């Protein structure tokens, strides 16, 4: 303006002088304390894959005035989060707990770096940066959050709340537990007449499920398990389901073990029900890595034949995309099923279902939909082929894998089929 009206130049100089003074005052306020802001990260030493894991950043304002702060937490590279920032206001001499959640989709070690806090001075002209050394390593395990939820429900016999069916028993186990007083609803066939003769009321024998049965989860780590679903691979879903199933089996007083394989047998954890077994299973599944090679079922049969002497329930987590791929492994599966009760668990292709449900608008859409229906039909043929050879199976979507597997385990156990 002073170019046209010279009198404004003095006003511009005055405004510039006032701005300079304000910047100096703002700087003095921002740097008036050596440690104006305190910050630290509070998190668990391990995360659960596929679940929301809470992270807390604790801040404290030592300034004598309220401040606006911007927080940038340097997250592990696995999250690929480059724009993570949070802005909050903190009152003078007050603290603040900033909570956020992370959902890892791969197992392994995650490295957190420093916490950067930018403090805005009262006049919003100066910003001071604080860097807090907060480097730490967090291990991402299979979904122990899901495991604990199922464990609590299994202990209180409330598995129906997560979709696990209440299975009607066929007959009853002959494993005696105790003699108790008769109550309405007890089976009349279990009345103990000798104990009744010694008492004033009816007494019945109480039986419990057979225990100490061996349950092995066989996890195929081959190429077919690399297919992604909701950010995780089928292998990760199989590992999560194995963890939950092993925990439920231990709650039911059965012995749980783990076998992982691909081209060669990778891990063999013998079935047991000792108190430390669950931790051994968790540590075994946490460190599973794979080159995603083709799995060798013949070597799997050889290892099972040599190492598992008692008849056991073997739950095989694998995947077949065509009937031909199933028939190639059928000979080995039949050999395993000859000595043990084998349950084959494989996956529906959810992308195929979305293609089938999609309305065809062009000739190309009709072609794609027809091919998708052909592959979906082959999945149902695989179930029939396994059933024809006396091998029970589960065809499931990844999200329903855990519930369907636990259902089938309880069904087989109540039928005394193991």
């Amino acid at each position: 303006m002073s170019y046209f009206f010279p009198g404004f130049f003095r006003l511009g100089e005055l405004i510039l002088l006032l701005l300079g003074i304000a910047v100096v005052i703002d700087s003095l306020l921002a740097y008036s304390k050596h440690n104006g802001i305190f910050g630290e990260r509070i998190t668990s030493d391990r995360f659960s894959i596929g679940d929301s894991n809470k992270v807390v950043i604790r801040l404290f304002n030592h300034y004598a005035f309220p401040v606006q702060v911007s927080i940038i937490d340097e997250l592990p590279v696995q999250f690929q989060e480059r724009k993570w920032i949070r802005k909050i206001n903190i009152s003078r001499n007050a603290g603040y707990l900033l909570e956020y959640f992370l959902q890892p989709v791969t197992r392994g070690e995650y490295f957190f770096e420093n916490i950067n806090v930018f403090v805005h001075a009262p006049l919003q002209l100066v910003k001071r940066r604080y860097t807090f050394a907060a480097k730490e390593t967090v291990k991402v395990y299979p979904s122990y959050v899901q495991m604990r939820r199922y464990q609590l429900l299994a202990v209180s016999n409330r598995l129906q709340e997560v979709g696990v069916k209440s299975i009607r028993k066929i007959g009853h186990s002959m494993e005696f537990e105790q003699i108790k007083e008769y109550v309405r609803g007890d089976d009349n066939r279990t009345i103990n007449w000798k104990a009744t003769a010694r008492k004033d009321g009816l007494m019945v024998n109480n039986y419990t499920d057979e225990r100490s049965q061996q349950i092995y989860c066989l996890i195929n780590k081959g190429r077919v398990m690399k297919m992604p679903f909701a950010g995780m691979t089928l292998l990760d879903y199989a590992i999560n389901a194995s963890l939950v199933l092993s925990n439920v089996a231990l709650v039911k007083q059965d012995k749980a073990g783990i076998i992982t394989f691909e081209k060669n047998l990778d891990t063999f954890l013998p079935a047991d029900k000792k108190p430390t077994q669950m931790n051994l299973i968790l540590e075994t599944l946490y460190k599973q890595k794979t080159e995603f090679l083709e799995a060798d079922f013949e070597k799997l049969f050889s290892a099972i034949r040599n190492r598992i002497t008692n008849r056991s329930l073997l739950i095989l987590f694998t995947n077949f995309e065509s009937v031909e791929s199933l028939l190639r492994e059928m000979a080995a599966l039949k050999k395993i099923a000859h000595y043990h009760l084998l349950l084959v668990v494989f996956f529906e292709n959810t992308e195929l279902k979305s293609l089938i449900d999609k309305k065809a608008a062009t000739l190309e859409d009709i072609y794609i939909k027809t091919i998708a229906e052909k592959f979906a039909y082959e999945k149902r043929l695989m179930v029939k082929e396994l059933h024809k050879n006396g091998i029970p199976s589960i065809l499931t979507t990844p999200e329903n894998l855990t519930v369907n597997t636990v259902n089938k385990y309880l069904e087989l156990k109540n039928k005394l089929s193991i």
Side-chain angles (χ1 to χ4, degrees):
M1 292 295 291
S2 64
Y3 182 81
F4 300 101
F5 307 100
F8 279 100
F9 188 74
R10 294 294 180 186
L11 180 60
E13 288 180 327
L14 178 61
I15 293 174
L16 180 61
L17 177 63
L18 294 175
L19 179 62
I21 294 173
V23 170
V24 171
I25 294 174
D26 223 23
S27 300
L28 291 174
L29 291 173
Y31 289 87
S32 60
K33 284 186 175 290
H34 177 64
N35 295 316
I37 292 288
F38 169 79
E40 65 175 350
R41 184 191 305 111
I42 304 172
T43 184
S44 170
D45 58 350
R46 62 182 186 179
F47 281 175
S48 174
I49 187 173
D51 299 310
S52 294
N53 301 270
K54 186 169 74 171
V55 180
V56 177
I57 294 180
R58 186 166 72 90
L59 300 170
F60 193 89
N61 177 20
H62 292 288
Y63 287 107
F65 50 84
V67 294
Q68 179 185 347
V69 299
S70 301
I71 304 105
I72 299 177
D73 195 3
E74 298 178 1
L75 304 181
V77 295
Q78 288 92 333
F79 294 107
Q80 291 296 296
E81 181 62 67
R82 295 176 175 86
K83 297 181 180 179
W84 194 98
I85 186 170
R86 300 289 188 273
K87 295 181 179 181
I88 59 173
N89 295 311
I90 309 177
S91 303
R92 64 186 184 92
N93 296 319
Y96 190 94
L97 293 178
L98 172 64
E99 295 183 358
Y100 66 94
F101 295 85
L102 296 173
Q103 186 173 353
V105 294
T106 57
R107 286 170 287 107
E109 293 184 337
Y110 284 52
F111 300 97
F112 284 89
E113 298 295 334
N114 298 330
I115 302 172
N116 300 284
V117 178
F118 296 88
V119 178
H120 302 259
L123 301 178
Q124 302 291 310
L125 298 174
V126 175
K127 188 187 298 184
R128 181 179 178 182
R129 174 180 175 178
Y130 290 89
T131 300
F132 301 102
K135 294 184 178 181
E136 60 181 316
T137 301
V138 175
K139 294 181 178 180
V140 176
Y141 282 85
S143 184
Y144 59 84
V145 172
Q146 187 183 90
M147 178 198 73
R148 287 172 180 169
R149 178 160 50 97
Y150 276 81
Q151 180 182 17
L152 291 172
L153 294 174
V155 169
S156 56
N157 291 320
R158 292 163 51 210
L159 283 170
Q160 293 84 0
E161 295 181 12
V162 288
V164 176
K165 300 175 184 175
S166 180
I167 307 295
R168 182 179 64 87
K169 288 190 178 183
I170 298 178
H172 59 77
S173 167
M174 294 306 293
E175 186 167 328
F176 177 78
E177 184 178 27
Q178 64 178 352
I179 299 175
K180 67 181 188 70
E181 293 185 4
Y182 174 86
V183 295
R184 182 176 295 179
D186 284 340
D187 191 345
N188 295 332
R189 295 172 296 176
T190 63
I191 294 177
N192 187 321
W193 295 108
K194 290 184 178 179
T196 299
R198 293 194 297 268
K199 298 286 185 177
D200 292 335
L202 288 174
M203 305 295 291
V204 295
N205 294 330
N206 192 31
Y207 299 94
T208 186
D209 292 331
E210 290 187 8
R211 300 178 177 180
S212 298
Q213 296 168 321
Q214 293 190 153
I215 315 296
Y216 279 92
C217 292
L218 281 55
I219 304 174
N220 180 359
K221 302 198 302 179
R223 178 182 56 83
V224 296
M225 299 293 281
K226 194 174 182 179
M227 184 180 295
F229 179 83
M232 298 196 303
T233 63
L234 296 183
L235 176 62
D236 289 319
Y237 281 99
I239 287 176
N240 286 347
S242 299
L243 185 68
V244 172
L245 181 63
S246 298
N247 196 45
V248 172
L250 291 173
V251 170
K252 297 292 184 181
Q253 298 298 313
D254 284 335
K255 298 178 181 178
I258 296 291
I259 297 176
T260 63
F261 70 100
E262 46 180 340
K263 186 176 181 180
N264 296 302
L265 185 73
D266 183 61
T267 304
F268 181 85
L269 179 64
D272 207 328
K273 59 177 182 179
K274 57 188 177 184
T276 59
Q277 185 71 0
M278 201 61 239
N279 285 333
L280 290 175
I281 292 174
L282 187 62
E283 290 296 330
T284 298
L285 294 177
Y286 153 73
K287 60 186 180 183
Q288 292 301 319
K289 294 182 179 180
T290 176
E291 300 297 331
F292 291 107
L293 303 173
E294 287 291 342
D296 191 330
F297 284 81
E298 289 291 342
K299 287 186 179 179
L300 173 65
F301 165 69
S302 178
I304 290 173
R305 189 77 183 97
N306 292 328
R307 298 197 185 189
I308 305 177
T309 55
N310 298 330
R311 181 171 175 81
S312 308
L313 171 61
L314 307 182
I315 301 175
L316 172 62
F317 294 93
T318 185
N319 198 29
F320 300 107
E321 286 301 321
S322 65
V323 175
E324 290 75 16
S325 63
L326 170 64
L327 294 178
R328 282 198 302 268
E329 313 298 348
M330 185 59 74
L333 295 178
K334 288 168 68 175
K335 290 178 184 177
I336 297 173
H338 178 72
Y339 296 98
H340 303 276
L341 177 57
L342 176 64
L343 172 63
V344 177
V345 182
F346 61 108
F347 298 88
E348 288 184 40
N349 191 328
T350 52
E351 292 297 324
L352 290 179
K353 189 175 185 303
S354 62
L355 287 174
I356 293 171
D357 295 338
K358 184 180 178 181
K359 187 177 180 179
T362 64
L363 185 62
E364 182 182 0
D365 291 341
I366 295 173
Y367 175 77
I368 293 174
K369 187 171 181 177
T370 302
I371 296 299
E373 288 177 347
K374 175 182 176 294
F375 280 113
Y377 176 68
E378 283 199 356
K379 287 282 188 178
R380 296 192 293 272
L381 282 182
M382 293 178 212
V383 175
K384 292 182 179 179
E385 188 67 28
L386 287 166
H387 181 71
K388 186 172 69 176
N389 288 276
I391 303 174
S393 62
I394 299 175
L395 176 61
T396 179
T397 57
E399 68 240 69
N400 295 324
L401 173 64
T402 300
V403 169
N404 290 339
T405 306
V406 173
N407 270 331
K408 196 65 177 180
Y409 157 69
L410 296 176
E411 178 186 334
L412 295 173
K413 184 176 178 64
N414 287 331
K415 286 182 178 179
L416 307 178
S417 301
I418 304 176

PDB file of all heavy atoms in Angstrom, residues 116-127:
ATOM      1  N   ASN A 116       7.661 -37.887  18.628  1.00  0.00           N
ATOM      2  CA  ASN A 116       7.920 -36.475  18.351  1.00  0.00           C
ATOM      3  C   ASN A 116       6.703 -35.652  18.759  1.00  0.00           C
ATOM      4  O   ASN A 116       5.588 -35.922  18.305  1.00  0.00           O
ATOM      5  CB  ASN A 116       8.213 -36.263  16.867  1.00  0.00           C
ATOM      6  CG  ASN A 116       9.420 -37.054  16.404  1.00  0.00           C
ATOM      7  OD1 ASN A 116      10.555 -36.682  16.686  1.00  0.00           O
ATOM      8  ND2 ASN A 116       9.186 -38.155  15.703  1.00  0.00           N
ATOM      9  N   VAL A 117       6.950 -34.643  19.609  1.00  0.00           N
ATOM     10  CA  VAL A 117       5.876 -33.774  20.089  1.00  0.00           C
ATOM     11  C   VAL A 117       6.215 -32.330  19.720  1.00  0.00           C
ATOM     12  O   VAL A 117       7.287 -31.825  20.076  1.00  0.00           O
ATOM     13  CB  VAL A 117       5.685 -33.902  21.613  1.00  0.00           C
ATOM     14  CG1 VAL A 117       4.597 -32.956  22.096  1.00  0.00           C
ATOM     15  CG2 VAL A 117       5.346 -35.338  21.991  1.00  0.00           C
ATOM     16  N   PHE A 118       5.301 -31.679  18.993  1.00  0.00           N
ATOM     17  CA  PHE A 118       5.481 -30.282  18.591  1.00  0.00           C
ATOM     18  C   PHE A 118       4.538 -29.420  19.436  1.00  0.00           C
ATOM     19  O   PHE A 118       3.314 -29.579  19.373  1.00  0.00           O
ATOM     20  CB  PHE A 118       5.176 -30.100  17.111  1.00  0.00           C
ATOM     21  CG  PHE A 118       6.121 -30.851  16.213  1.00  0.00           C
ATOM     22  CD1 PHE A 118       5.863 -32.172  15.863  1.00  0.00           C
ATOM     23  CD2 PHE A 118       7.270 -30.239  15.736  1.00  0.00           C
ATOM     24  CE1 PHE A 118       6.729 -32.870  15.046  1.00  0.00           C
ATOM     25  CE2 PHE A 118       8.145 -30.938  14.919  1.00  0.00           C
ATOM     26  CZ  PHE A 118       7.886 -32.257  14.569  1.00  0.00           C
ATOM     27  N   VAL A 119       5.140 -28.500  20.207  1.00  0.00           N
ATOM     28  CA  VAL A 119       4.378 -27.636  21.105  1.00  0.00           C
ATOM     29  C   VAL A 119       4.188 -26.274  20.465  1.00  0.00           C
ATOM     30  O   VAL A 119       5.165 -25.615  20.070  1.00  0.00           O
ATOM     31  CB  VAL A 119       5.089 -27.487  22.466  1.00  0.00           C
ATOM     32  CG1 VAL A 119       4.311 -26.542  23.374  1.00  0.00           C
ATOM     33  CG2 VAL A 119       5.256 -28.837  23.120  1.00  0.00           C
ATOM     34  N   HIS A 120       2.939 -25.835  20.346  1.00  0.00           N
ATOM     35  CA  HIS A 120       2.629 -24.505  19.816  1.00  0.00           C
ATOM     36  C   HIS A 120       2.609 -23.513  20.974  1.00  0.00           C
ATOM     37  O   HIS A 120       1.888 -23.711  21.958  1.00  0.00           O
ATOM     38  CB  HIS A 120       1.268 -24.516  19.114  1.00  0.00           C
ATOM     39  CG  HIS A 120       1.184 -25.496  17.990  1.00  0.00           C
ATOM     40  ND1 HIS A 120       1.297 -25.146  16.672  1.00  0.00           N
ATOM     41  CD2 HIS A 120       1.012 -26.842  17.993  1.00  0.00           C
ATOM     42  CE1 HIS A 120       1.194 -26.212  15.908  1.00  0.00           C
ATOM     43  NE2 HIS A 120       1.011 -27.265  16.688  1.00  0.00           N
ATOM     44  N   ALA A 121       3.381 -22.455  20.832  1.00  0.00           N
ATOM     45  CA  ALA A 121       3.390 -21.406  21.860  1.00  0.00           C
ATOM     46  C   ALA A 121       2.038 -20.683  21.881  1.00  0.00           C
ATOM     47  O   ALA A 121       1.246 -20.802  20.939  1.00  0.00           O
ATOM     48  CB  ALA A 121       4.526 -20.431  21.598  1.00  0.00           C
ATOM     49  N   PRO A 122       1.762 -19.890  22.941  1.00  0.00           N
ATOM     50  CA  PRO A 122       0.427 -19.277  23.081  1.00  0.00           C
ATOM     51  C   PRO A 122      -0.006 -18.419  21.894  1.00  0.00           C
ATOM     52  O   PRO A 122      -1.176 -18.380  21.539  1.00  0.00           O
ATOM     53  CB  PRO A 122       0.569 -18.431  24.352  1.00  0.00           C
ATOM     54  CG  PRO A 122       1.616 -19.129  25.138  1.00  0.00           C
ATOM     55  CD  PRO A 122       2.591 -19.662  24.138  1.00  0.00           C
ATOM     56  N   LEU A 123       0.935 -17.702  21.257  1.00  0.00           N
ATOM     57  CA  LEU A 123       0.571 -16.829  20.137  1.00  0.00           C
ATOM     58  C   LEU A 123       0.555 -17.571  18.803  1.00  0.00           C
ATOM     59  O   LEU A 123       0.303 -16.953  17.758  1.00  0.00           O
ATOM     60  CB  LEU A 123       1.537 -15.628  20.067  1.00  0.00           C
ATOM     61  CG  LEU A 123       1.587 -14.739  21.313  1.00  0.00           C
ATOM     62  CD1 LEU A 123       2.594 -13.625  21.147  1.00  0.00           C
ATOM     63  CD2 LEU A 123       0.200 -14.166  21.597  1.00  0.00           C
ATOM     64  N   GLN A 124       0.860 -18.853  18.824  1.00  0.00           N
ATOM     65  CA  GLN A 124       0.834 -19.699  17.621  1.00  0.00           C
ATOM     66  C   GLN A 124       1.825 -19.234  16.555  1.00  0.00           C
ATOM     67  O   GLN A 124       1.647 -19.484  15.363  1.00  0.00           O
ATOM     68  CB  GLN A 124      -0.576 -19.733  17.016  1.00  0.00           C
ATOM     69  CG  GLN A 124      -1.662 -20.236  17.970  1.00  0.00           C
ATOM     70  CD  GLN A 124      -1.515 -21.720  18.279  1.00  0.00           C
ATOM     71  OE1 GLN A 124      -1.376 -22.536  17.398  1.00  0.00           O
ATOM     72  NE2 GLN A 124      -1.543 -22.051  19.563  1.00  0.00           N
ATOM     73  N   LEU A 125       2.900 -18.541  16.976  1.00  0.00           N
ATOM     74  CA  LEU A 125       3.916 -18.074  16.036  1.00  0.00           C
ATOM     75  C   LEU A 125       5.158 -18.953  16.043  1.00  0.00           C
ATOM     76  O   LEU A 125       5.923 -18.959  15.087  1.00  0.00           O
ATOM     77  CB  LEU A 125       4.305 -16.624  16.364  1.00  0.00           C
ATOM     78  CG  LEU A 125       3.180 -15.587  16.247  1.00  0.00           C
ATOM     79  CD1 LEU A 125       3.661 -14.234  16.739  1.00  0.00           C
ATOM     80  CD2 LEU A 125       2.697 -15.501  14.804  1.00  0.00           C
ATOM     81  N   VAL A 126       5.369 -19.668  17.129  1.00  0.00           N
ATOM     82  CA  VAL A 126       6.566 -20.507  17.287  1.00  0.00           C
ATOM     83  C   VAL A 126       6.125 -21.905  17.678  1.00  0.00           C
ATOM     84  O   VAL A 126       5.162 -22.080  18.432  1.00  0.00           O
ATOM     85  CB  VAL A 126       7.514 -19.917  18.366  1.00  0.00           C
ATOM     86  CG1 VAL A 126       8.698 -20.843  18.615  1.00  0.00           C
ATOM     87  CG2 VAL A 126       7.997 -18.544  17.941  1.00  0.00           C
ATOM     88  N   LYS A 127       6.858 -22.871  17.149  1.00  0.00           N
ATOM     89  CA  LYS A 127       6.569 -24.275  17.464  1.00  0.00           C
ATOM     90  C   LYS A 127       7.877 -24.931  17.923  1.00  0.00           C
ATOM     91  O   LYS A 127       8.890 -24.847  17.232  1.00  0.00           O
ATOM     92  CB  LYS A 127       6.018 -24.984  16.229  1.00  0.00           C
ATOM     93  CG  LYS A 127       5.498 -26.389  16.480  1.00  0.00           C
ATOM     94  CD  LYS A 127       5.127 -27.079  15.166  1.00  0.00           C
ATOM     95  CE  LYS A 127       4.018 -26.354  14.443  1.00  0.00           C
ATOM     96  NZ  LYS A 127       3.596 -27.098  13.209  1.00  0.00           N
TER      97      LYS A 127
END
